[in-house]
Amino acid sequence: MAAREQFGSRLGFILAAAGSAVGIGNMVGFPVAATKNGGGAFLILYAVFIVLICLPVMLAEMSVGRNSRKDPLNAYSTLTNGQAHWKIAGWLSIITPFMIAVFYLVITVWIFGYLYQSIIGNLDMLADPATFGNFVQSSDLFIYMVGVLAVVYLILQGGVKQGIEKAAKVMMPALFIMLTGLVIFVLTLDNAFAGVQYYLIPDFSKINASVVSAALSQAFFSLSLGMGIMITYGSYLDSKSDVPGSAKFVAFADTMVAFIAGLLILPAVFSFNPNTNTENLSDSSVGMIFTFLPKIFLALQASIGYVGASIVASLFFLLVFFAAITSLVSIFEVPVSALMESKKIGRKKALGIMGLLLIVTSVVASMSFGIWDVATNFTAYAGQTKSLFDVIIDVFYDTILPLNGLLICLFVIYRWKKENFNAELDKGAPKYEGTFFEKYVDLSVGTFIPAILFLVFINTVALKYFGEALIG
């Protein structure tokens, strides 16, 4: 086997890691969550959790990856000399991103379909409330899936430097430019600043245990923690790289995109309807993207014409498509990297094998919306009937991610040991050694962060599967 692939530059790593973190949730889910949960108060909570909880977990993942030069499965095995119980943590870190890639692929296919329809001038059709329900049951989905898979394959077959890094260097700046341009345009619309007001003015009366939990979950999921991505990307860094500094940039970029997206979504909503009741906004990013926002874009035709409204809608869907693709590429790289390392095979063969598994699983999951009854009514728990798609999100996204975060914290402090953890982070980052931040990371990763993640995990299990929240 050839030597471990590496990123060609620090900027390439930061953009790729930021691309993995910047996803659909940043574009829509975060702004709506902030607006419904105290505006500026939620933003403050989110920022605090990013710095105090998520950054230390990210450093734990990156350091394990760089030290082992392995994917999550083989990293745990290498650093524990193959201890069986830590192999379970490794397997969880591989199965989780694969299953998350399944539902992320399905949503990315929907976005690609809406992008195509808005480009060819069918914005009025997309704004029809019945369109989305018909769309997710259409055979056209599988044509769009071919297009999305082709993009993912073209990026990943190029490897780390020529594929992932090169794509990130194009897509991430383009994403920032499109987002900024759309924000500037939306802020010129009538009543737009009513949305800014709802988004930014703090309402501390809305802060309760449930909102605190939501802010922590949003921050944790937003940075792609618990998915094995940061372990895998960390393994592509050389020993001269400044891991703490890079992690800070990734967290900052991710947070800024989420914040700026709020300056797009909420002003657009209020320019369309100044009397919008924010409590009625959909909690679901999917609901906002595919059923609510197309109506808002169509309403723009009164001021900029139908073609102008279609262009704005097309730019928005292209923006979200870029965010989705960069995340999907990063998520799917984890199991591909693990297969390459474990079976000592080349990238293209590993991509072929994992790609086939992804296609089969995603096709079945995409039938969860009325196409196939078995997938649509897959099971039931907590008094609700759940589709296969629902189960994938509940189990692998909502439940196992905080568990994986808990396991990596316990691993670096109590199995790998604090001295090795610090020594790895000190490489390439002489200014990190002995700082207050280093001492805080040591303390937090070994004490209260695992406790918090454990509480999040058991609360999620109680709420999702038994319908009774322990907290909030």
Side-chain angles (χ1 to χ4, degrees), residues 188-199:
T188 65
L189 300 175
D190 292 340
N191 303 310
F193 277 89
V196 176
Q197 183 178 14
Y198 267 92
Y199 178 49

Side-chain angles (χ1 to χ4, degrees), residues 442-464:
D442 280 349
L443 173 66
S444 62
V445 171
T447 55
F448 63 84
I449 290 180
I452 290 170
L453 292 176
F454 177 71
L455 287 174
V456 170
F457 171 67
I458 61 169
N459 191 56
T460 302
V461 170
L463 182 60
K464 288 284 179 184

Side-chain angles (χ1 to χ4, degrees), residues 174-344:
L175 186 150
F176 277 103
I177 291 167
M178 282 190 292
L179 180 58
T180 303
L182 281 173
V183 166
I184 292 170
F185 166 73
V186 166
L187 290 179
T188 65
L189 300 175
D190 292 340
N191 303 310
F193 277 89
V196 176
Q197 183 178 14
Y198 267 92
Y199 178 49
L200 296 182
I201 293 180
D203 181 358
F204 291 100
S205 68
K206 289 189 176 181
I207 301 301
N208 54 34
S210 178
V211 171
V212 170
S213 178
L216 174 58
S217 296
Q218 183 77 38
F220 193 82
F221 300 152
S222 179
L223 286 180
S224 299
L225 302 177
M227 298 186 200
I229 294 172
M230 295 305 167
I231 297 177
T232 303
Y233 277 12
S235 74
Y236 298 144
L237 288 172
D238 62 40
S239 58
K240 297 177 183 177
S241 298
D242 180 350
V243 170
S246 297
K248 290 175 186 175
F249 273 111
V250 172
F252 177 75
D254 176 73
T255 304
M256 285 306 298
V257 168
F259 173 75
I260 295 170
L263 297 177
L264 167 65
I265 302 298
L266 273 302
V269 169
F270 276 83
S271 68
F272 169 63
N273 181 4
N275 298 315
T276 295
N277 181 348
T278 56
E279 295 304 316
N280 294 332
L281 293 177
S282 173
D283 286 318
S284 162
S285 295
V286 171
M288 284 292 290
I289 293 171
F290 300 108
T291 61
F292 194 79
L293 291 176
K295 291 190 289 186
I296 291 173
F297 294 133
L298 182 62
L300 290 175
Q301 68 179 325
S303 55
I304 59 175
Y306 186 80
V307 173
S310 296
I311 291 171
V312 171
S314 299
L315 282 173
F316 172 77
F317 284 115
L318 182 61
L319 172 70
V320 180
F321 180 67
F322 274 19
I325 280 290
T326 52
S327 293
L328 182 56
V329 163
S330 301
I331 294 165
F332 195 50
E333 171 66 9
V334 179
V336 169
S337 174
L339 184 60
M340 289 168 61
E341 180 69 32
S342 298
K343 299 300 181 183
K344 307 301 179 189

